[in-house]
Amino acid sequence: MRVLVVENMAKTELGQVGTALREAKAEIEIRRAYLGEAVPETPEGYDALVVLGGEQSALDDAAYPYLPDLVALMRRFGDSGRSVLGICLGSQLLARAYGGRNLLGEAKEFGWCEVQVRGEGAEDPVLSSVGESFPIFQWHGDTFTLPEGAVHLAENAVTRHQAFRVGRAAYGTQFHFEADTHLVEDWNRAFPDTIKRLNPTWLARYREHAARHGRQADAAGLSLARAWVATIVRHQGGAVNEEPALEEVTG
């Protein structure tokens, strides 16, 4: 299967989503849109789309003029029945694609935070993989309203819309479940000044935070990644091949 990945900022990586895709022997094509690499106009030739996070808002079209094209592409993937994953900024763009309203600066979280799975999530193929609640890494200030018809999957006290699904398998997660402790440590090294502004004690107390939450968050993130990859079905000549795309992954 072929998976298109769109990066919106340097130092964003697939992390645990990449692990799950490699387990499934997926062919991954990365477009660094923030560097001017064009995103395709249609989903043809791909089976799934991943849109990662970034420092910009989902409405920052003036500084990032590719955003409307990316929003349209996410909608086309979702409407075609292909699997879509939007993480953080990606979730905000997915909400925009389906008519949700972006709310800038209204939900600030940083670090490992607890997320609760709603009743709808407990029955969802992806969110049901992590139980009733789980710690997961957060780094965002914006949020969104749910698009009409979206299924609300997860929430917490700060950010009501932590995860949602549109249609068969278009998922948005405000939290960074791709970010295991290795990726979080890379971000610590890459963005120390920004992190100090968000949480002045984070870097000094990082080992304490990681010891308390890291292992459980890593396990939850990998479970979510594998469960999302399992939603991918192969498309042949525009038609969906309903045979599972994931026979290699176990456990």
Side-chain angles (χ1 to χ4, degrees):
M1 57 185 172
R2 297 190 69 216
V3 178
L4 176 65
V5 177
V6 177
E7 293 184 358
N8 294 292
M9 180 181 174
K11 300 294 184 181
T12 58
E13 299 175 16
L14 279 170
Q16 303 210 91
V17 175
T19 298
L21 287 170
R22 288 189 293 273
E23 288 175 342
K25 297 180 171 53
E27 178 184 344
I28 301 169
E29 180 179 326
I30 297 176
R31 300 287 181 99
R32 294 177 173 86
Y34 68 98
L35 293 179
E37 296 181 2
V39 297
E41 293 185 2
T42 75
E44 295 308 312
Y46 302 99
D47 302 306
L49 171 66
V50 179
V51 179
L52 297 170
E55 60 189 343
Q56 62 271 57
S57 83
L59 301 176
D60 206 359
D61 297 356
Y64 299 89
Y66 70 86
L67 287 179
D69 292 336
L70 179 55
V71 167
L73 182 65
M74 296 179 81
R75 178 69 184 252
R76 292 182 186 118
F77 264 86
D79 286 354
S80 73
R82 289 167 167 84
S83 294
V84 178
L85 176 59
I87 296 176
C88 197
L89 173 62
S91 72
Q92 298 156 14
L93 293 169
L94 183 64
R96 174 181 170 182
Y98 280 93
R101 187 161 53 95
N102 293 111
L103 307 174
L104 307 187
E106 295 193 16
K108 297 180 180 180
E109 292 184 277
F110 177 82
W112 283 293
C113 304
E114 199 74 13
V115 170
Q116 289 76 47
V117 176
R118 291 169 53 86
E120 298 92 331
E123 300 177 355
D124 179 79
V126 175
L127 270 293
S128 63
S129 68
V130 287
E132 295 181 358
S133 66
F134 55 97
I136 209 74
F137 195 76
Q138 307 269 8
W139 188 342
H140 64 92
D142 299 343
T143 185
F144 47 82
T145 64
L146 279 186
E148 184 177 355
V151 182
H152 187 189
L153 302 174
E155 62 191 354
N156 72 3
V158 176
T159 307
R160 186 177 179 210
H161 300 139
Q162 287 282 355
F164 69 98
R165 186 189 76 244
V166 177
R168 187 191 72 82
Y171 285 86
T173 70
Q174 186 61 76
F175 51 83
H176 286 276
F177 72 90
E178 86 284 14
D180 60 8
T181 50
H182 296 295
L183 185 50
V184 172
E185 288 166 9
D186 285 345
W187 289 346
N188 286 347
R189 289 186 288 269
F191 308 110
D193 294 337
T194 301
I195 289 171
K196 286 175 184 176
R197 289 194 296 271
L198 294 169
N199 185 333
T201 67
W202 172 263
L203 294 175
R205 299 182 59 188
Y206 172 74
R207 294 301 170 194
E208 177 185 340
H209 294 307
R212 183 180 301 125
H213 302 295
R215 180 175 295 182
Q216 188 179 354
D218 287 0
L222 188 55
S223 292
L224 288 166
R226 287 170 168 165
W228 178 77
V229 170
T231 71
I232 301 173
V233 293
R234 294 186 178 91
H235 286 68
Q236 298 176 341
V240 178
N241 179 355
E242 293 291 353
E243 293 184 3
L246 241 188
E247 298 179 354
E248 300 89 348
V249 175
T250 57

